[in-house]
């Protein structure tokens, strides 16, 4: 067989040895799922479960995906008949498989109406999203739509060409109601507590601005499911694309690489038929919140800690940071405090879970940069670090490790590592954060207070806690004087 240069349907007819592929014919299955925000994470997580489902049980569960901003993913996938490879990497070994779950990719800004029509189509039964924390356009409380957000202002005035996830869903619901069609199930796959419900806040508050009876229709006809999603999927590198080509003989511009582990816990709250993802490893449960808390705080919380502290200590990758003995012990101490805030989950052993997280972080085949995890800190720290800290305080004990992570974030915002290398800050609040850091650079208490109050990132209950303010400012002040490692070692003792 002559190998095609680029992965496509031809290749699917006869896969090279050692390459797994779908055991279904993609063209024989309809697409009843729409995914908003296709990126590496969706391609390595929900699309893989769905591909397994199609292989195991068939059904019309292929995915029509939408890019809300850039054409890149569509431009990579379209010439490949929407096929791509997922490479799972562990212990120096790579396992490749071809995923055929994506039916097509629409680029929203190119044709907003086609996306609205797709969402309004009666064949669409389930809508999923992975748009990152900032895509919800909520104020820091995560329950209130940010009516000053430029994209929300835009959507309120231009609902036929929206920019946000909420705008598209509201526009589609308007059409469904007009046409007398049923609603759908909306499933969030972002790292936010109560992510489905949170999506519901954004959607219904936007609908309320458009037409309050529409908000009522949504409440009755759309169900919002919380989910806990987990898989470490770093940005793919050119070297990985070359390795795939060398191993398999074809190019794949849409390759994703990730760890072997994956987990998906889904709230069983579907308004209509549900894809039986439980047959391929996902779990349907009545209440996801305890799983979400466990994962967001233990995994994502320590990931963020390793990102800020690791970067300050000049570790470029998470696996380097976790192999730093001082940071590794620090993560144990941090996890111990976090675990004290978690409700028990039947069948889950937190000690084992914590150990498995550390092993996953240490996977040297996964080049996850500290810089990537450090992105958007103002949107990540509230659920990962601040909420568990608040709960520790409410139980009568401030957590030094959690406070040090906050101080490390603030020090990171000052823009250089311990050896003076420049740090680039990527954060939706980078402008106000930079201004505050410049203004109060040498006044740690004023910096902490103003960061908290002017950006709204720290909840009021923390802002009014003197012990919290004093400890975090002491750490921020000390970090200007002493190396971070010294503080870490002090806490580890
Ligand atoms: C990471 C997550 O970048 C980040 O903020 O903490 O993307 C993490 O890798 C995933 O949530 C793992 O499931």
């Amino acid at each position: 067989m002559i190998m095609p240069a680029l992965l496509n349907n031809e290749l699917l007819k006869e896969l090279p040895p050692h390459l797994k592929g779908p055991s279904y014919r993609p063209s024989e299955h309809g697409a009843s799922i729409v995914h908003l925000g296709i990126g590496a994470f969706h391609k390595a997580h929900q699309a893989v479960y769905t591909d397994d489902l199609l292989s195991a049980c068939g059904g019309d569960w292929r995915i029509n995906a939408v890019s809300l901003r850039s054409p890149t993913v569509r431009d990579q996938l379209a010439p490949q008949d929407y096929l791509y490879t997922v490479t799972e990497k562990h212990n120096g070994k790579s396992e490749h498989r071809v995923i055929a779950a994506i039916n097509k990719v629409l680029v929203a800004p190119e044709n907003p109406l086609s996306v609205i029509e797709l969402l309004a189509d009666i064949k669409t039964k389930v809508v999923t999203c992975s748009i990152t924390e900032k895509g919800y356009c909520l104020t820091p409380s995560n329950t209130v739509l940010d009516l000053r957000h430029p994209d929300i202002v835009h959507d309120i005035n231009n609902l036929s060409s929206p920019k946000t996830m909420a705008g598209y869903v509201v526009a589609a619901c308007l059409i469904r109601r007009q046409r007398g069609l049923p609603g759908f199930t909306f499933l969030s796959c972002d790292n936010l507590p109560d992510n489905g419900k949170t999506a519901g806040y954004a959607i219904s508050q936007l609908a309320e601005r458009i037409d309050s009876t529409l908000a009522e229709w949504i409440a009755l006809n759309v169900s919002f499911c919380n989910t806990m999603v987990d898989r470490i999927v770093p940005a793919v590198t050119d070297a990985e694309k070359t390795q795939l080509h060398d191993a398999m003989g074809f190019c794949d511009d849409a390759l994703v690489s990730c760890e072997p582990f994956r987990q998906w816990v889904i709230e069983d709250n579907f308004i209509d038929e549900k894809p039986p993802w439980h047959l391929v490893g996902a779990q349907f449960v009545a209440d996801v919140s305890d799983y979400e808390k466990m994962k967001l705080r233990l995994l994502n919380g320590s990931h963020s800690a390793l990102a800020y502290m690791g970067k300050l200590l000049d570790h470029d990758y998470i696996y380097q940071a976790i192999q730093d003995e001082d940071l590794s012990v620090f993560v144990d101490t941090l996890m111990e405090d976090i675990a004290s805030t978690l409700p028990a989950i039947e069948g889950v052993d937190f000690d084992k879970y914590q150990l498995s997280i550390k092993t996953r972080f240490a996977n040297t085949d996964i080049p996850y940069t500290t810089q990537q995890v450090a992105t958007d800190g103002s949107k990540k720290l509230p659920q990962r670090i601040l909420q568990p800290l608040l709960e520790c305080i409410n139980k009568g004990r401030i957590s030094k490790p959690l406070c040090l992570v906050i101080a490390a974030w603030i020090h990171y915002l000052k823009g250089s590592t311990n050896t003076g290398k420049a740090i680039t800050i990527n954060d939706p609040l980078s402008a106000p954060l930079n201004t505050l850091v410049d203004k109060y650079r040498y006044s740690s208490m004023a910096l902490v207070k103003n960061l908290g109050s002017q950006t709204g990132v720290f909840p009021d209950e923390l802002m009014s806690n003197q012990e919290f303010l004093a400890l975090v400012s002491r750490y921020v002040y000390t970090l200007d004087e002493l190396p971070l490692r010294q503080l870490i070692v002090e806490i580890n003792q």
Side-chain angles (χ1 to χ4, degrees):
M1 180 182 123
I2 302 167
M3 196 69 77
L6 201 62
L7 172 59
N8 60 23
N9 279 337
E10 269 309 293
L11 185 97
L12 220 49
K13 290 182 188 155
E14 196 184 332
L15 291 176
H18 311 301
L19 179 62
K20 281 200 271 179
S23 55
Y24 60 97
R25 277 177 203 269
S27 58
E28 289 174 4
H29 300 268
S32 334
I33 301 175
V34 171
H35 182 78
L36 300 174
I38 183 169
F41 182 70
H42 172 71
K43 284 161 66 188
H45 189 272
Q46 304 99 63
V48 173
Y49 280 95
T50 307
D51 193 68
D52 280 345
L53 174 64
L54 289 157
S55 278
C57 323
D60 288 333
W61 295 117
R62 290 186 80 220
I63 301 166
N64 288 317
V66 177
S67 275
L68 288 173
R69 307 234 172 273
S70 105
T72 311
V73 177
R74 189 269 322 271
D75 292 350
Q76 289 168 339
L77 282 169
Q80 304 186 175
D81 300 320
Y82 299 100
L83 300 171
Y84 62 94
T85 315
V86 170
T87 301
E88 292 181 2
K89 299 170 85 179
H90 182 57
N91 272 344
K93 291 203 195 91
S94 296
E95 279 202 23
H96 311 286
R97 67 181 273 194
V98 172
I99 303 294
I102 307 288
N103 180 49
K104 65 179 175 190
V105 178
L106 299 182
V107 180
E110 288 177 2
N111 189 348
L113 280 178
S114 67
V115 175
I116 297 172
E117 280 298 338
L118 178 66
L119 288 163
D121 191 323
I122 186 149
K123 290 199 279 306
T124 298
K125 294 196 161 31
V126 175
V127 178
T128 57
C129 82
S130 58
I131 51 174
T132 80
E133 298 85 345
K134 59 178 178 254
Y136 291 71
C137 307
L138 297 165
T139 64
S141 69
N142 270 343
T143 53
V144 177
L145 188 65
D146 183 356
L147 292 171
R148 285 179 310 181
H149 193 296
D151 292 349
I152 294 296
V153 173
H154 168 96
D155 286 5
I156 292 174
N157 296 305
N158 307 275
L159 198 65
S160 56
S161 58
K163 288 191 172 172
T164 68
M165 169 279 284
Y168 276 102
V169 173
V170 170
C173 288
L174 202 58
I175 295 184
R176 281 189 180 242
R177 185 182 63 169
Q178 269 163 10
R179 296 184 186 157
L181 298 175
F184 47 66
T185 299
F186 189 97
L187 222 100
S188 163
C189 301
D190 284 300
N191 285 317
L192 280 167
D194 287 337
N195 51 11
K197 217 189 208 174
T198 302
Y201 294 144
I203 292 163
S204 49
Q205 287 171 40
L206 182 64
E208 189 79 39
R209 294 269 137 187
I210 308 288
D211 166 356
S212 60
T213 62
L214 179 65
E216 206 183 323
W217 185 91
I218 291 175
L220 290 172
N221 294 280
V222 179
S223 70
F224 293 96
C225 296
N226 296 326
T227 75
M228 182 270 248
V229 289
D230 193 5
R231 182 165 231 189
I232 297 179
V233 188
V236 77
T237 63
D238 286 340
E240 288 172 319
K241 290 186 182 176
T242 309
Q243 279 156 17
L244 176 77
H245 178 265
D246 293 349
M248 294 294 155
F250 60 85
C251 294
D252 182 352
D253 267 345
L255 169 73
V256 281
S257 85
C258 57
E259 60 173 345
F261 180 90
R262 63 181 144 109
Q263 189 175 11
W264 197 7
V265 188
I266 306 166
E267 186 186 0
D268 199 349
N269 179 31
F270 286 66
I271 203 140
D272 193 353
E273 208 184 333
K274 68 181 176 219
W277 283 307
H278 61 292
L279 300 175
V280 289
Q283 260 173 286
F284 285 114
V285 300
D287 184 354
V288 175
S289 56
D290 292 349
Y291 290 92
E292 275 182 336
K293 264 188 204 150
M294 170 184 81
K295 190 264 173 172
L296 281 172
R297 296 180 183 187
L298 286 173
L299 187 143
N300 296 110
S302 17
H303 224 189
S304 289
L306 288 168
Y308 299 115
M309 297 177 140
K311 188 74 190 169
L312 289 172
L313 293 171
D314 288 300
H315 295 306
D316 287 333
Y317 294 100
I318 293 290
Y319 65 77
Q320 293 169 332
I322 196 69
Q323 281 165 9
D324 177 321
E325 190 52 31
D326 294 328
L327 280 178
S328 169
V329 176
F330 178 80
V331 165
D332 292 336
T333 324
L334 179 77
M335 285 193 182
E336 208 174 293
D337 280 4
I338 291 176
S340 73
T341 70
L342 299 174
I345 304 177
E346 211 190 307
V348 178
D349 177 333
F350 286 148
D351 288 338
K352 280 196 190 141
Y353 184 71
Q354 290 168 39
L355 206 61
S356 77
I357 290 172
K358 288 185 75 182
T359 312
R360 292 167 59 198
F361 286 168
N363 183 345
T364 50
D365 298 325
I366 298 296
Y368 213 155
T369 60
T370 43
Q371 178 75 28
Q372 190 182 342
V373 181
T375 302
D376 295 350
S378 69
K379 291 280 170 195
K380 292 175 176 172
L381 289 195
Q383 54 278 12
R384 299 179 179 201
I385 301 293
L386 302 173
Q387 193 55 37
L389 174 61
L390 195 57
E391 290 176 25
C392 283
I393 292 175
N394 289 342
K395 284 185 177 173
R397 196 175 68 84
I398 194 148
S399 157
K400 287 182 178 174
L402 285 163
C403 286
L404 185 58
V405 178
I406 298 165
W409 174 60
I410 295 175
H411 196 69
Y412 171 94
L413 293 175
K414 293 185 176 175
S416 58
T417 72
N418 275 10
T419 56
K421 286 192 201 142
I423 294 174
T424 313
I425 312 295
N426 291 316
D427 195 293
L429 290 185
S430 60
L433 290 171
N434 281 341
T435 309
L436 291 167
V437 162
D438 280 350
K439 188 163 174 196
Y440 300 109
R441 182 171 287 265
Y442 300 109
S443 169
S444 55
M445 180 59 99
L447 177 56
V448 174
K449 279 189 176 165
N450 283 285
L451 260 186
S453 60
Q454 294 198 32
T455 62
V457 173
F458 300 160
D460 292 346
E461 281 163 280
L462 277 183
M463 289 303 294
S464 59
N465 185 290
Q466 295 310 316
E467 201 185 0
F468 160 78
L469 292 173
L471 189 57
V472 174
S473 354
R474 175 162 81 77
Y475 287 151
V476 171
Y477 166 79
T478 313
L479 286 174
D480 280 336
E481 308 286 317
L482 294 174
L484 167 64
R485 194 173 292 282
Q486 203 161 314
L487 274 181
I488 294 175
V489 171
E490 192 187 297
I491 286 182
N492 286 349
Q493 275 160 5

